[in-house]
Amino acid sequence: MSTGSTLYGWRMRHVVTGEAVALELASVSLITRGASLLVDLVIYWSTLVLAFVALGFTGAGIGFNEAAAAAISLATVVGVLVIVPIAVETLTRGRSIGKLIFGIRVVRDDGGGVRFRHCLIRGLAGFAEIYLTLGLLPLLMGVFTERGKRLGDVMAGTYAIRARHPSVRPMMLPVPPNMAAWAQIADIGRVPDDLAARASRLLGTIQTGGRKVDTDAITAVGDRLASEIVTCVAPAPPTTSSVEFLSAVMAERRNREYQRLRIKQTRAENLHRRIHTLPYS
């Protein structure tokens, strides 16, 4: 079961796994897939040219007849343009040099990793649709399919996702001094995660140095977020600005999460130490 939505201009794929966990996998744009394919084609065709050059020198020395030369040439073309891409994609679980450069990976429709049969179908179909139609069929399929699939993806039940995302700088703003006493006793566990994420992004924008921001827009967004979050905390915060209130809530959430993780790690270390000091360890 899955639904689609749009986030930051990416087409999102909501996948529900067998463990009933919802995943959001961003499908790759047609331009990115085309660029990665172009890189792969340059590499494979360069390899094919070098292979024919090597075969030319070898054939001149050995003296292949016409039938043997034709068979070897056909085997070289199939090996470089079909077998090698299938092998590379299988061994790398959906990657290639072009995909690695652009940070994308091919996965199954349910979000799992591809296997040999998926790569085999994609490779065989890809040879036909890319070379026999000069790339026109993949282009049309990418435009009219939901997640930019080509024919090989439709047949294999796969699509391309972003495997590399830009790093997000964590929000490191401290609890404002005038809010420290309130933050220590405040119940902030009812703040929804999506609302907290929006507040964190806003504070990250404020925290980032060297970037000009629209103060009026930041204040307006901060006031709106503060009015939503204030209904989820208790007791009511002291009178302060919306940015300071958001900073106190998000910094305290961060501090409590860090303490929780530290306690969990300490318990795991103690358990590990006790297990390895038993007489039968």
Side-chain angles (χ1 to χ4, degrees), residues 146-162:
E146 180 185 359
R147 285 166 285 160
K149 289 187 173 189
R150 60 178 178 86
L151 181 60
D153 289 316
V154 174
M155 296 173 62
T158 59
Y159 73 111
I161 65 170
R162 289 188 176 272

Side-chain angles (χ1 to χ4, degrees), residues 40-233:
D40 290 333
L41 291 179
V42 170
I43 293 174
Y44 292 137
W45 277 95
S46 300
T47 303
L48 184 62
V49 171
L50 294 177
F52 275 123
V53 171
L55 287 175
F57 285 112
T58 303
I62 299 178
F64 290 135
N65 57 38
E66 185 176 349
I72 293 176
S73 299
L74 178 60
T76 302
V77 172
V78 173
V80 174
L81 299 184
V82 179
I83 297 178
V84 171
I86 293 174
V88 170
E89 197 167 274
T90 302
L91 295 176
T92 58
R93 302 296 298 274
R95 305 294 289 271
S96 65
I97 296 179
K99 293 181 179 65
L100 184 63
I101 293 175
F102 287 92
I104 64 180
R105 179 189 295 274
V106 175
V107 298
R108 303 194 308 262
D109 283 339
D110 61 358
V114 294
R115 299 185 181 276
F116 171 72
R117 62 183 179 87
H118 303 100
C119 300
L120 178 62
I121 296 173
R122 282 173 44 80
L124 295 178
F127 181 83
E129 62 178 316
I130 293 173
Y131 296 113
L132 299 185
T133 68
L134 301 179
L136 180 60
L137 181 59
L139 177 62
L140 295 177
M141 292 289 293
V143 171
F144 292 105
T145 54
E146 180 185 359
R147 285 166 285 160
K149 289 187 173 189
R150 60 178 178 86
L151 181 60
D153 289 316
V154 174
M155 296 173 62
T158 59
Y159 73 111
I161 65 170
R162 289 188 176 272
R164 186 172 63 235
H165 299 276
S167 59
V168 179
R169 187 179 179 183
M171 193 276 295
M172 298 302 295
L173 294 176
V175 177
N178 61 317
M179 301 286 290
W182 172 82
Q184 291 180 357
I185 63 172
D187 177 12
I188 59 177
R190 295 180 299 167
V191 178
D193 291 338
D194 58 338
L195 186 57
R198 289 158 53 196
S200 180
R201 286 196 295 269
L202 175 66
L203 295 175
T205 303
I206 298 174
Q207 178 186 354
T208 303
R211 181 187 298 177
K212 295 183 179 180
V213 296
D214 189 342
T215 305
D216 295 336
I218 291 293
T219 302
V221 175
D223 292 341
R224 185 169 66 252
L225 290 175
S227 64
E228 295 182 42
I229 293 179
V230 74
T231 61
C232 304
V233 301

Side-chain angles (χ1 to χ4, degrees), residues 228-277:
E228 295 182 42
I229 293 179
V230 74
T231 61
C232 304
V233 301
T239 302
T240 185
S241 66
S242 59
V243 173
E244 286 190 340
F245 169 67
L246 294 176
S247 298
V249 172
M250 298 308 302
E252 186 61 25
R253 278 173 59 96
R254 178 198 63 209
N255 295 341
R256 293 181 185 182
E257 181 66 15
Y258 175 76
Q259 293 174 3
R260 186 184 68 82
L261 293 177
R262 286 292 301 168
I263 293 174
K264 184 178 180 179
Q265 181 181 7
T266 302
R267 289 177 178 174
E269 292 174 353
N270 293 336
L271 179 60
H272 182 271
R273 186 166 48 251
R274 289 177 58 189
I275 291 177
H276 285 76
T277 55

